Amino acid sequence: MSAAADKPRVALTGAAGKLGQVVLRDLLEHGWSVLALDQVRPPTLHPGDDAQFLRIDLTDHGQVLEALAGRTDERPGPFDAVVHLAAVPAPGLLSNSATFRNNSAATWNVFDAARAAGIRNVVWASSETLLGLPFDTADPPYAPLDEEYRVRPESTYSLVKALEEEMAHHFCRWQPQLTMTGLRFSNVMHVEDYAQFPSFDADPHLRKWNLWGYVDARDGAQAVRLSLQRTGPGVEVFVVANADTVMSRSSAELMAEVYPGVEVRGELGEHETLLSIGKARRLLGYEPQHSWRDHV
């Protein structure tokens, strides 16, 4: 715990992003002091919060090292942890080379600067895309999908996520005291996004690209907070999705119609997620609290 305060202190990159805004509020509500790092001020950062904002270019190693070492004026450390959510958030938003250049540099800078600053707890946003998404390219190997098969990046964005997981493995090999947790978030949703969900039922192929998965941003924030409590050294990665699918139709029916040749492992609950959260449940205590069905 930071010597300067009773509260643990975390640096949060991507604090103004779709998930980052919710993670920021969740961490503040659960007793963390936060340094929010982004290009723009997070709209969920309010006067009186135990938080500060620093505008930063994460592709500049010097800026990242200065920030995580607590060497920026009026933005002191030390920090107990880093949560790294910042990235070009999906394929096709920038050119492939720009996506690779931004995301790979930003993550390496955060990992390396955290290590140099003596921060031993790093949580970062990996991606469901490592499971082989979109499944228009090739069918999933089985369902529900889990973390037990070799990653299958199908885009430059996803390739960088694969490299990030490999980097984390070696950072932990170099420094065995490190705890690094990669969260393979499914498609992040806010409550206002749920109005469109009933329309998916008309064509099950509309959302087959990620096996009809999603994660409520509030449950994504829960996974981040629980990951910060992980005490074992080394790297672990977790699929983070909601407990159900985006569909009203049953999961078994969806698999039989759209992926009849794919092995279904075990008995499926009526709307059970086909992106397995079993590992996150076992090792993090993650349990989704929200569903689109509560809002539509």
Side-chain angles (χ1 to χ4, degrees):
M1 184 170 292
S2 303
D6 292 335
K7 290 184 176 181
R9 187 154 167 77
V10 62
L12 171 64
T13 79
K18 186 172 187 178
L19 177 60
Q21 297 177 39
V22 181
V23 170
L24 172 62
R25 294 312 315 168
D26 185 82
L27 290 174
L28 289 171
E29 290 164 6
H30 287 85
W32 286 83
S33 176
V34 182
L35 176 63
L37 303 170
D38 212 315
Q39 295 279 8
V40 297
R41 184 180 178 85
T44 51
L45 183 58
H46 307 312
D49 285 337
D50 190 1
Q52 297 171 308
F53 168 64
L54 179 64
R55 185 171 289 106
I56 193 170
D57 178 359
L58 291 172
T59 67
D60 182 329
H61 185 268
Q63 291 186 41
V64 180
L65 180 58
E66 183 181 283
L68 297 190
R71 299 298 300 274
T72 302
D73 293 345
E74 300 185 13
R75 301 291 185 266
F79 296 96
D80 300 285
V82 176
V83 174
H84 175 46
L85 304 181
V88 177
L93 300 178
L94 299 178
S95 68
N96 291 349
S97 59
T99 298
F100 186 91
R101 182 172 61 249
N102 183 90
N103 289 4
S104 60
T107 298
W108 186 86
N109 287 343
V110 169
F111 286 4
D112 186 70
R115 182 184 178 210
I119 299 170
R120 299 289 180 262
N121 192 356
V122 178
V123 177
W124 87 97
S126 188
S127 172
E128 66 177 356
T129 61
L130 288 180
L131 299 171
L133 282 59
F135 291 122
D136 302 315
T137 304
D139 287 353
Y142 53 83
L145 291 175
D146 56 24
E147 303 84 353
E148 297 305 314
Y149 65 96
R150 183 170 174 80
V151 296
R152 287 173 29 178
E154 299 291 351
S155 66
T156 299
Y157 167 82
S158 185
L159 177 62
V160 176
K161 292 298 185 183
L163 296 175
E164 290 173 359
E165 292 192 3
E166 186 69 8
M167 278 197 294
H169 167 77
H170 293 292
F171 269 84
C172 290
R173 182 173 60 85
W174 296 338
Q175 191 159 352
Q177 302 92 340
L178 279 173
T179 299
M180 302 187 74
T181 308
L183 300 176
R184 295 179 178 176
F185 290 110
S186 187
N187 193 193
V188 176
M189 296 290 179
H190 289 169
V191 170
E192 54 266 31
D193 297 321
Y194 293 146
Q196 66 181 317
F197 277 34
S199 68
F200 298 150
D201 277 338
D203 183 359
H205 291 81
L206 289 174
R207 292 279 310 194
K208 75 171 192 174
W209 58 271
N210 78 335
L211 289 186
W212 309 280
Y214 77 107
V215 64
D216 187 290
R218 295 165 293 181
D219 287 317
Q222 177 203 159
V224 169
R225 174 167 36 84
L226 292 171
S227 296
L228 288 171
Q229 299 170 13
R230 196 169 78 83
T231 57
V235 62
E236 291 283 358
V237 297
F238 300 91
V239 174
V240 177
N242 266 64
D244 59 348
T245 70
V246 303
M247 304 292 282
S248 296
R249 301 167 66 179
S250 76
S251 298
E253 180 184 352
L254 290 167
M255 288 300 299
E257 177 178 343
V258 180
Y259 293 111
V262 172
E263 176 191 3
V264 175
R265 297 184 172 179
E267 294 293 325
L268 293 175
E270 184 178 8
H271 300 299
E272 181 179 342
T273 177
L274 295 161
L275 304 174
S276 174
I277 55 175
K279 182 179 178 182
R281 280 170 158 155
R282 291 193 311 273
L283 299 187
L284 297 179
Y286 171 69
E287 192 59 53
Q289 301 297 309
H290 305 280
S291 169
W292 70 272
R293 300 166 211 279
D294 300 327
H295 299 280
V296 177

